[in-house]
Each structure stands twice: as C-alpha cells, then as structure tokens.
Amino acid sequence: MRAADSFSPGVGGFVMIALTYIICHGITIWVIAPAQRFFLDDVSVLASLAYLPHGVRVLSIWLVGWRALLPLVVGAILANLIFTSADILDLMHDKMWLSLAMSVLSAYFAFELLRASGISAYAGGGRRVNWRKLLLAGLLASVFNSISQTLIFSGILAPSGKLTELASFAIGDLLGQVVLMFGLMMIFRALRSPTASA
C-alpha cells in the first residue's frame, strides 16, 4: 500500500493544501509576474516562468494522492477569483474552469502514469525523498498541463504563439516546482539547525 493511500489529509490538511496553493499563486502574481513582465515582456500572456502552485500540486499529490484533488481545485478556484484581474477573467470566459481542472489533474495523471509504468513516485514509508522520481513526476505533469492549457486556450492564442506558450507553461511549471522544493528544503534545514531549537 502506498503512503498516499493510507494517509488522509483531514480538514486541517485540506485547508493547508488550499491555503498554500492560494499563497503561492499570490506570490506568483505579485512578485514573479511583475519581474517576468519587466525582464521578459513578450514571453507569455497566460503562463508564468516560475509558477509556484505547480509545486503545490505535485507535492500534494505526492503526499496524499487523489485526496489532494479537491483541496487543490478549491485552492485554484479561490486563487483565481482573488488574484486574477477582471479583464483576464473576461478573456478566459468559460475556459477558466476547464483550465483549473486540467492543471490539477495533470499532476495526478503524471503520478498514475508512472505507477502504471512500474515506477512508484508517491511518498513512501521511508524517510528519504526520491528527488529524481518527484522531479520526473513534476516534469510529466508540466508537459500534460502545458499541452492541455495550450489546447484549452487555442482560441485566445495566436497560432504563431502556441509553441512559445506551450514551452512557457512547461518551463514555468517545472521551475515553479524546483523553486518551491528548494525553498521548503531551506526552511526545513533552518528549522532543524541547532540554533533554531535554542
């Protein structure tokens, strides 16, 4: 049995996953997106080059499996309602709901595809994290997400910009996961340091 099958996030875990998603989305909108527009103005309209919520999706699915889907969807909906400007919401029309669902499902599909291939990337019972499997799952999820988002928004994107947008989604998701994982690693390392307990 996988750890993801035996662990239930409960109400506290549900709130933590949704809230973490919202916070990471806010950081992406308020910090990363302005920097991206300043340095790389013409790269992407819809994709971020370091989308932190992708890391939340991957790590949540890694830890609790399919049980993370509902809190991730709730977090994604609330984050978009809170942070997305009215003109972007208007541009996305009814495609937003399909986009949110596919972005969340992409991580789950990636882990399940690996499992079906004989590679269990879910959190296991051991203390050591298999970073390679986790990054592989994140890479697959970013590919699934980038393809689905490009297809969903094909009516909005110019045909000449689809390849750029596809690459932007994939790179942004994976970089977001790496940045989030690195940040969490630094936080946990600081919490374990002898000075933190003094």
Side-chain angles (χ1 to χ4, degrees):
M1 182 179 356
R2 296 172 299 174
D5 288 331
S6 61
F7 181 74
S8 174
V11 175
F14 185 104
V15 171
M16 179 180 263
I17 290 170
L19 191 58
T20 303
Y21 192 101
I22 293 167
I23 291 168
C24 286
H25 188 87
I27 292 169
T28 302
I29 295 297
W30 285 341
V31 178
I32 295 171
Q36 177 178 320
R37 281 191 299 272
F38 182 78
F39 291 107
L40 305 164
D41 187 40
D42 60 341
V43 169
S44 173
V45 175
L46 298 171
S48 169
L49 287 183
Y51 190 64
L52 300 180
H54 179 72
V56 178
R57 293 189 295 245
V58 171
L59 292 174
S60 298
I61 297 291
W62 171 68
L63 281 172
V64 297
W66 63 268
R67 292 171 185 85
L69 293 175
L70 184 58
L72 286 170
V73 167
V74 169
I77 290 170
L78 291 174
N80 277 277
L81 291 175
I82 293 167
F83 297 109
T84 305
S85 64
D87 57 326
I88 298 294
L89 283 175
D90 189 46
L91 178 70
M92 293 166 70
H93 299 298
D94 55 340
K95 297 178 185 237
M96 182 175 97
W97 308 112
L98 181 57
S99 167
L100 296 179
M102 289 310 298
S103 68
V104 169
L105 286 172
S106 64
Y108 181 67
F109 290 155
F111 278 94
E112 286 300 302
L113 179 64
L114 288 174
R115 187 181 62 79
S117 303
I119 302 169
S120 178
Y122 286 103
R127 288 178 48 87
R128 295 190 61 82
V129 176
N130 190 322
W131 297 106
R132 277 182 269 180
K133 287 182 181 178
L134 194 52
L135 286 171
L136 177 60
L139 174 63
L140 277 175
S142 70
V143 169
F144 293 157
N145 187 43
S146 63
I147 292 169
S148 67
Q149 298 304 320
T150 303
L151 291 173
I152 291 167
F153 295 114
S154 61
I156 295 172
L157 302 171
S160 60
K162 286 183 184 174
L163 191 56
T164 302
E165 204 69 31
L166 184 79
S168 297
F169 273 115
I171 292 168
D173 281 354
L174 193 57
L175 276 177
Q177 178 187 348
V178 169
V179 168
L180 185 66
M181 287 171 58
F182 182 76
L184 288 173
M185 197 169 61
M186 293 296 104
I187 290 169
F188 291 139
R189 184 172 291 169
L191 292 174
R192 281 196 314 260
S193 72
T195 56
S197 59

